[in-house]
Amino acid sequence: MSVEDRIRHGLRANTEQLRPALEHAEEVVMLKVQRRRKARRVRYVGAGALVAAAVAVGAVWLPSALQGGTVTEEPGPAGSEGATPLPREGRIAPGTYVAQFNGGGPATPRAVLEVPSGFQAWGGSAVLEPGDSAGLGLYTATRVMGDPCDRGDLGEDPGPSAADLARALAAQERTRASSPTPVTIGGHDGLYLELTTPEPGAPGGCADDRYDLWRTGAGGPRFVGAGEVQRLWILDVAGHRVVVDVEQSGSEDVVRDVDAMVEAIRIVEQP
Amino acid sequence: MEHPVHPDYEWVFRTTYPAVVRTAFVIVRERGLAEEVAQDAFVRLYERWDGIEPVEQPQAWVHAVAVRMAVRQARRRRTTSVVDLDDRPVDDPVVDVDLHRALGELPPRQRAAVALYYLEDRPVAEVALLLDVSPSTVKQHLHRARARLAVLLGEETEVAGDVG
């Protein structure tokens, strides 16, 4: 074999298993876009405030004061002691993790998860079983798409409560929602419903088999594929609405593991 | 607060992201880092999408940005640490371990040229555009990369032939 053939075959072999989860990656990209915009706003506002202060006091220290800032690690909320912050991605050891709700802000509650072996972290707010790509995701939801196939749909604010979100999802075109039922998770009341997307290629489904269900608090899209059932626990936690989202797929073992995670989940408020 | 995803951007994302990750993986040699590079490149693309200087060829643009970012990351890692292959994350899908290891011996820009030419089957002229160098520089990168890899892998050299 020539070195060129070896390179060609080797590179293909080494990369053909790289099949990134597009929905997750797209969400991460949107989250990063939002963070960069927010950081720019903070820099502009912060710089403006410093300039105003310097002008007011005639200070001479302004140039050095403008050279960046410090980032401090926020302590975990009460109730999450001993839990490890869920990494952004990668295989994780079994254990107790504290995770953010995707798109949530500093005041949004956190979730404490008991993660069994075999899972990996995604975006700091989901744990997936890599073989099945099934798992548990934590989301905020601030706008619901009326038509999940319409890429120009900006969505609408459903209102602040769990019941508001459940109602809006039930009214969403093309997807099918079960009747919301009262539920309590980790001591917090909410509603449980199952949202089903049409089978791949079904009449009336999205042409690309992707369903844009809602926007998170950071503006990121929550896409799901065709023929999927999302199990949603929508909770009201101290004025914040959060969603625990389980993709109903995978082997019996994975489903059992994920169900156990949902049962053991704790939602902790931020200080 | 809301920034809906433009349908054309989404189409570019879906059709280009996996290839960008694969190319970045060859350059940075870690799946997690490759995905991060690709995501950051698409963040830049998204920010340009509705800007005052719209991107004319978004697929090529984002690919070029990702390659530059990956090369920069790879250089940083070369100067700050020596990553043993056994330390790589468990979910890196390497099959040809020897090639993966040998690529780590190449300078990052040679890796980039190898990825674009041999993995993506791009002509030399296109590789040159993406790397922002001349075609003759690309040929030089490929020539040197083949020679080094042939030695490291114990393969037939066949390095005299021209490419492109």
Side-chain angles (χ1 to χ4, degrees):
Chain A
M1 181 185 285
S2 73
V3 70
E4 290 202 290
D5 290 340
R6 174 71 184 276
I7 296 168
R8 275 203 179 87
H9 291 132
L11 288 179
R12 296 224 165 90
N14 285 352
T15 57
E16 69 180 1
Q17 295 303 317
L18 281 173
R19 292 179 189 139
L22 286 176
E23 290 163 20
H24 168 75
E26 194 167 14
E27 287 180 12
V28 172
V29 167
M30 295 311 298
L31 199 59
K32 287 185 173 189
V33 167
Q34 299 296 328
R35 282 181 181 157
R36 280 165 63 92
R37 286 179 173 163
K38 190 174 174 185
R40 276 198 291 269
R41 280 199 299 272
V42 169
R43 276 202 300 273
Y44 295 149
V45 171
L50 280 171
V51 168
V55 168
V57 300
V60 295
W61 44 262
L62 185 58
S64 61
L66 280 173
Q67 291 172 8
T70 55
V71 177
T72 54
E73 189 74 20
E74 288 182 27
S80 67
E81 294 86 354
T84 306
L86 188 68
R88 274 196 63 248
E89 62 182 280
R91 191 73 59 95
I92 53 177
T96 306
Y97 292 87
V98 58
Q100 302 178 6
F101 285 85
N102 189 329
T108 307
R110 304 288 196 261
V112 178
L113 304 172
E114 301 295 336
V115 182
S117 62
F119 281 77
Q120 66 183 46
W122 279 108
S125 60
V127 288
L128 299 177
E129 200 287 320
D132 291 327
S133 284
L136 181 154
L138 304 163
Y139 291 91
T140 55
T142 54
R143 299 182 80 85
V144 174
M145 302 301 120
D147 179 356
C149 301
D150 181 356
R151 299 295 177 253
D153 188 351
L154 301 181
E156 288 193 8
D157 182 350
S161 71
D164 292 332
L165 178 58
R167 240 188 325 270
L169 289 171
Q172 189 171 58
E173 291 178 40
R174 304 177 198 269
T175 58
R176 193 176 70 249
S178 64
S179 296
T181 54
V183 70
T184 301
I185 289 189
H188 297 282
D189 293 333
L191 293 166
Y192 170 80
L193 64 87
E194 294 179 358
L195 198 65
T196 307
T197 53
E199 290 299 317
C206 297
D208 59 0
D209 285 338
R210 298 182 82 221
Y211 293 80
D212 184 3
L213 302 180
W214 69 71
R215 291 281 187 274
T216 70
R222 172 65 180 124
F223 277 110
V224 300
E228 292 184 0
V229 180
Q230 305 300 127
R231 300 164 64 200
L232 305 175
W233 288 263
I234 308 170
L235 305 172
D236 287 315
V237 182
H240 297 272
R241 180 182 54 216
V242 294
V243 182
V244 178
D245 181 343
V246 166
E247 192 169 312
Q248 180 73 309
S249 63
S251 66
E252 282 184 19
D253 287 346
V254 172
V255 170
R256 192 170 54 242
D257 283 347
V258 174
D259 283 349
M261 272 193 281
V262 173
E263 284 177 19
I265 200 168
R266 284 183 289 135
I267 313 290
V268 289
E269 297 169 30
Q270 288 292 89
Chain B
M1 184 177 66
E2 305 305 325
H3 298 279
V5 180
H6 192 288
D8 292 340
Y9 170 86
E10 195 181 339
W11 182 81
V12 170
F13 181 88
R14 294 187 64 199
T15 54
T16 314
Y17 183 80
V20 172
V21 171
R22 286 194 289 271
T23 303
F25 177 72
V26 174
I27 301 169
V28 300
R29 305 171 66 243
E30 271 185 45
R31 181 188 189 143
L33 192 54
E35 290 228 32
E36 194 159 337
V37 163
Q39 288 160 7
D40 287 347
F42 274 94
V43 167
R44 301 282 176 85
L45 177 65
Y46 188 89
E47 290 176 339
R48 290 284 295 263
W49 200 268
D50 293 321
I52 54 175
E53 294 180 88
V55 177
E56 284 186 10
Q57 294 182 301
Q59 287 100 331
W61 189 90
V62 76
H63 228 112
V65 169
V67 166
R68 279 198 293 274
M69 287 177 164
V71 167
R72 208 158 42 234
Q73 286 287 344
R75 280 183 181 146
R76 195 172 299 154
R77 293 177 75 81
R78 273 165 74 94
T79 55
T80 56
S81 66
V82 177
V83 179
D84 189 85
L85 193 66
D86 294 335
D87 292 336
R88 72 181 189 272
V90 291
D91 57 345
D92 276 2
V94 171
V95 175
D96 190 336
V97 173
D98 290 339
L99 176 64
H100 189 71
R101 190 195 300 267
L103 283 166
E105 300 290 318
L106 301 182
R109 283 189 84 82
Q110 284 185 24
R111 274 183 243 163
V114 165
L116 294 168
Y117 185 76
Y118 287 109
L119 178 63
E120 298 189 18
D121 286 328
R122 292 176 187 270
V124 165
E126 210 172 304
V127 176
L129 281 174
L130 287 170
L131 292 179
D132 197 22
V133 296
S134 69
S136 62
T137 302
V138 171
K139 289 179 184 177
Q140 200 175 49
H141 281 324
L142 292 172
H143 178 84
R144 288 176 178 166
R146 276 195 307 270
R148 181 81 176 126
L149 290 174
V151 171
L152 292 168
L153 298 170
E155 298 286 358
E156 300 166 28
T157 49
E158 283 186 21
V159 295
D162 204 357
V163 292

